[in-house]
Amino acid sequence: MTSGRRAICSILAAGALALTACAGAPATEEPFDVVIRGGSVYDGTGASPREADVGIRGDRIVAIGKVPATGAKRVIEARGLAVAPGFINMLSWSTESLIADGRSQGEVRQGVTLEVMGEGASMGPLNDQMKRRMRQSQTDVKYEVEWTTLAEYLGWLEKRGISTNVASLVGAATVRTHVLGLEDVQPTPAQLEAMRELVRLEMRAGAMGVGTALIYAPGTYARTEELIELCKVAASYGGLYTSHIRSEGSKLVEAVDELIRINRESGIRAEIHHLKASGKGNWRRMDEAIAHVERARAEGLQVTANMYLYVASSTGLSARIPSWAHSGGAEALYDRLKDPATRARIAAEMRAEGTSSPALLARFRTQELKPLQGKMLEEVARSRGKDVVDTTLDLILEDRSRISSVFFTMSEENLVKQLKRPWVAISSDGASMAPEGAFLDSSTHPRAYGNFARLLGKYVREEKVITLADAIHRMTGLPASNLRIDRRGLLKEGNFADVVVFDPATVADRATFDNPHQYAIGMKHVLVNGTAVIADGEHTGAKPGRAVWGPGKGRP
């Protein structure tokens, strides 16, 4: 028999075997590991749900439709419940909290199965001096810095055991610090190329793109041209640019325009982190900011945003101090605060800028100041007989930390307006916590426990701002598409089995500003890579999370 005839015979025989296997599938097909039966399946595209079963083997979804449960290792009855892809947190600050507790309870109990990190700063690449500073700046969570690159950190987390998947952008401020230190300086051509090479190495290793935080030193020292050059590298690997833009106040529109310029000139996709107009006098600027984004999108530029569902933000109290005073790092700032003339200049600029937004003190480093946690800054200022500016500077110098705080600066009207935009995804901008252990040593913003559940309960079920199908899309298919994540974000055969099952009638946030350490409710089951992490509303202790890599991983 010739080789050609042998090949034809083999094909025919294989076809016959395939037909035989299909005919006998109900009797001989391998049982599923998990069958989710009878739920309202939202696939993550924004389409209306359909009643269907979901069959899972190993870490993959292998069937959606009418799925036989015979022999399945586990059957989840989902009638009356929503079945959706696992939620993607487009901005997580769980970089340290996952080291303390890999269960990621605060997030996974809301249905989050992927946490994306890297707003401005990232956990690599590091040099020895950066590692030393990282150890010195630790507060409630203590750890050894056992990695050097960002990719090594993500792999280290996975090896330790985590319940959620993790991904990260490389922080532009981290790259800048690696090459230039913490000073307010501009790079030489050789230094800029060294920064570009660090981005290149991390993109090849799996970073999702480049992230900036342009109101914080040393990120604020970077000029637009520097960022364009870094983004050109990330764009060549299919990466995303995300930014806490340079102003969320009086120069909000100009800051949005800078992001659009970076998007246009580097060729990278761009996303605004936690879109907001901060300060009552600036709320009116949101309409113009949105109009600029939508005009860019109409031109064909890929510009998106993410947001959280609260009218209060959270950052360090030290963010109120002018950026020039941070040059050289924290120790240099403290030295300036000790010098009467320099402190007077700092205070004058702060008063001129205006610091009228109420602030809730959330975390101190020193035990002596921890009794002030949960108190309003204005209250502490009155008790000390000083104004808010002097009290701010005193506390920062006494605690020798940034003093994590909550600022009430946004409007509910703008929040709803932003949420209605189809190009806005969801983020917490917080760390995943648990109401136990070291996490109880400090207060926090309720978004750490409630952001995603708050969307589903308050803004979908109660206020009907957007539909449930749209809300799920904003937490799944949209961010997965923006990040170009492979085989996640949609309920689709062949995709990884990151799946949530929740009750649309009861899902809700419970965390408040007065009592933030409270889990959300209504999430019944959460599977990560096919393994149950939440079962019947309780954490199983499983840690099947993985590092999720960007589209440039392994490319030359």
Side-chain angles (χ1 to χ4, degrees), residues 133 181-184 217-218 221 323-333 336:
R133 279 197 297 265
L182 298 170
E183 303 292 339
D184 183 0
Y221 306 142
S323 63
W324 62 264
H326 294 270
S327 180
E331 293 301 320
L333 171 63
R336 292 184 180 104

Side-chain angles (χ1 to χ4, degrees), residues 481-501:
S481 174
N482 291 346
L483 289 163
R484 293 187 179 172
I485 295 175
D486 186 35
R487 292 171 293 173
R488 297 186 194 272
L490 298 175
L491 287 188
K492 182 179 177 182
E493 293 176 6
N495 277 15
F496 289 101
D498 297 337
V499 186
V500 299
V501 181

Side-chain angles (χ1 to χ4, degrees), residues 258-433:
E258 181 186 33
L259 177 129
I260 293 170
R261 179 190 166 193
I262 293 168
N263 166 260
R264 180 181 283 112
E265 295 187 22
S266 71
I268 201 167
R269 305 181 316 286
E271 177 148 321
I272 300 168
H273 269 326
H274 44 66
L275 180 64
K276 68 173 79 76
S278 185
K280 188 173 183 179
N282 300 309
W283 292 350
R284 59 184 173 82
R285 303 180 194 278
M286 180 52 67
D287 287 339
E288 190 177 358
I290 289 173
H292 281 223
V293 171
E294 295 191 333
R295 185 162 59 240
R297 289 173 58 81
E299 294 173 11
L301 298 177
Q302 294 177 287
V303 183
T304 53
N306 59 68
M307 65 178 290
Y308 47 80
L309 284 306
Y310 298 85
V311 295
S313 62
S314 181
T315 188
L317 197 60
S318 61
R320 288 182 164 181
I321 295 175
S323 63
W324 62 264
H326 294 270
S327 180
E331 293 301 320
L333 171 63
Y334 304 146
D335 287 342
R336 292 184 180 104
L337 293 180
K338 292 175 185 176
D339 177 67
T342 309
R343 174 178 168 133
R345 178 188 169 192
I346 292 170
E349 291 188 21
M350 291 173 65
R351 292 188 179 101
E353 180 68 21
T355 55
S356 58
S357 300
L360 177 71
L361 302 173
R363 183 186 306 132
F364 287 91
R365 185 179 185 182
T366 61
Q367 290 298 321
E368 292 79 8
L369 292 174
K370 280 189 177 291
L372 300 181
Q373 291 173 169
K375 295 183 181 296
M376 299 299 294
L377 174 62
E378 295 73 15
E379 174 190 353
V380 174
R382 284 193 299 271
S383 71
R384 290 183 168 213
K386 295 185 177 182
D387 73 357
V388 167
V389 170
D390 277 328
T391 302
T392 296
L393 301 181
D394 286 345
L395 290 174
I396 289 168
L397 191 55
E398 290 169 32
D399 200 55
R400 300 183 77 81
S401 83
R402 60 196 298 268
I403 307 179
S404 180
S405 303
V406 175
F407 301 91
F408 296 86
T409 62
M410 286 98 77
S411 80
E412 183 72 17
E413 181 183 355
N414 275 345
L415 189 154
V416 170
K417 189 179 298 181
Q418 296 159 202
L419 185 55
K420 288 181 176 179
R421 264 54 194 185
W423 39 268
V424 176
I426 308 301
S427 62
S428 74
D429 194 18
S432 186
M433 300 184 177

Side-chain angles (χ1 to χ4, degrees), residues 49-121:
R50 63 187 178 109
E51 186 173 314
D53 308 325
V54 177
I56 296 168
R57 287 199 196 96
D59 63 358
R60 301 299 176 96
I61 298 168
V62 294
I64 301 176
K66 188 63 177 177
V67 176
T70 305
K73 295 177 183 176
R74 184 169 179 230
V75 177
I76 296 174
E77 296 293 347
R79 201 164 304 279
L81 303 176
V83 181
F87 303 155
I88 298 172
N89 184 351
M90 273 299 292
L91 176 53
S92 165
W93 275 106
S94 296
T95 46
E96 292 186 334
S97 64
L98 285 173
I99 298 173
D101 185 354
R103 293 174 297 171
S104 192
Q105 296 240 46
E107 297 246 332
V108 79
R109 286 173 180 264
Q110 299 179 70
V112 172
T113 59
L114 171 60
E115 302 183 60
V116 183
M117 308 164 186
E119 180 202 359

Side-chain angles (χ1 to χ4, degrees), residues 25 58 115 128 174 337 418 484 521 523 536-537 548:
E115 302 183 60
D128 289 342
T174 301
L337 293 180
Q418 296 159 202
R484 293 187 179 172
I521 60 171
M523 195 60 55
D536 297 315
V548 175

